[in-house]
Amino acid sequence: MFGVQVGRLIFTEKSRWIDHAKCFEKLALIAASSGFFTWLLHAHIDKSSRMIANLTFVIWQITHNTILLLSSYVVDLICAIYSTPEKRLIPGQCESCSDRKSRANCCCLLSAINKNQLFFFLIGNVLTGVVNLAIKTGSVDAIPALGALFAYGTVVCGLTCLLFVFNISTKFW
């Protein structure tokens, strides 16, 4: 049910930048408050356990997924800002979204990934290998692991977005 409500927040019609700022603010507030509740539950009630799917684990999943959505939303906003130098675009109104029936559901980050799917996949695999070589992933605490996931997702999406902004395609066939 929580995911449905966040989806309604993200996929509402946004025609001005202030609407996107309000959406960003609400997502950041959700991430911060659920992060606080995760810390509170972990410190005073019970540790997070995936095996028994306790409340701490559920709230931690909400925090984690909201932070990932927030980082993707930021990358999408950056992609929309820099996609055309002569005109600042509002997300959902990029040229690759023009043939869609509903522009509100278009995401410029998804358009960037669709244009360079192989690059997205390969850079994701390479960065996974780099993370596995650099960090002992089995013994990392929660906060550094979340930071690594955030950095990983931001780098992969950011590089793909840069290729989209400069209209570079990695397809050679």
Side-chain angles (χ1 to χ4, degrees):
M1 297 304 270
F2 183 79
V4 171
Q5 295 304 317
V6 171
R8 285 185 180 174
L9 172 69
I10 291 173
F11 291 117
T12 57
E13 183 73 33
K14 299 177 206 67
S15 58
R16 301 173 304 169
W17 282 105
I18 193 72
D19 298 333
H20 290 285
K22 288 179 182 177
C23 182
F24 174 81
E25 180 181 305
K26 288 177 184 177
L27 279 174
L29 182 65
I30 291 168
S33 60
S34 63
F36 172 74
F37 285 126
T38 300
W39 171 79
L40 192 66
L41 289 169
H42 184 78
H44 299 292
I45 296 182
D46 195 15
K47 291 184 177 183
S48 177
S49 172
R50 189 181 81 172
M51 288 179 57
I52 60 173
N54 58 2
L55 182 63
T56 308
F57 177 75
V58 172
I59 301 296
W60 176 74
Q61 284 296 309
I62 289 172
T63 304
H64 178 259
N65 291 326
T66 307
I67 289 171
L68 290 176
L69 278 173
L70 189 63
S71 65
S72 295
Y73 192 67
V74 167
V75 171
D76 190 43
L77 288 175
I78 292 169
C79 182
I81 289 171
Y82 292 108
S83 62
T84 58
E86 63 273 345
K87 174 174 116 171
R88 300 284 186 228
L89 289 175
I90 294 174
Q93 296 180 349
C94 57
E95 65 264 358
S96 60
C97 304
S98 60
D99 61 342
R100 295 206 177 193
K101 291 180 183 176
S102 174
R103 293 176 137 197
N105 292 334
C106 182
C107 178
C108 291
L109 178 60
L110 291 178
S111 299
I113 293 171
N114 284 337
K115 185 172 183 176
N116 290 307
Q117 294 176 11
L118 179 63
F119 175 79
F120 185 79
F121 174 74
L122 291 176
I123 199 70
N125 282 337
V126 168
L127 283 179
T128 299
V130 168
V131 167
N132 287 337
L133 288 174
I135 301 171
K136 286 189 172 186
T137 54
S139 61
V140 175
D141 290 332
I143 299 298
L146 192 60
L149 283 173
F150 177 76
Y152 171 85
T154 304
V155 167
V156 171
C157 292
L159 288 174
T160 307
C161 188
L162 279 175
L163 291 176
F164 182 72
V165 166
F166 292 112
N167 201 21
I168 298 171
S169 178
T170 55
K171 292 180 183 176
F172 55 86
W173 56 92

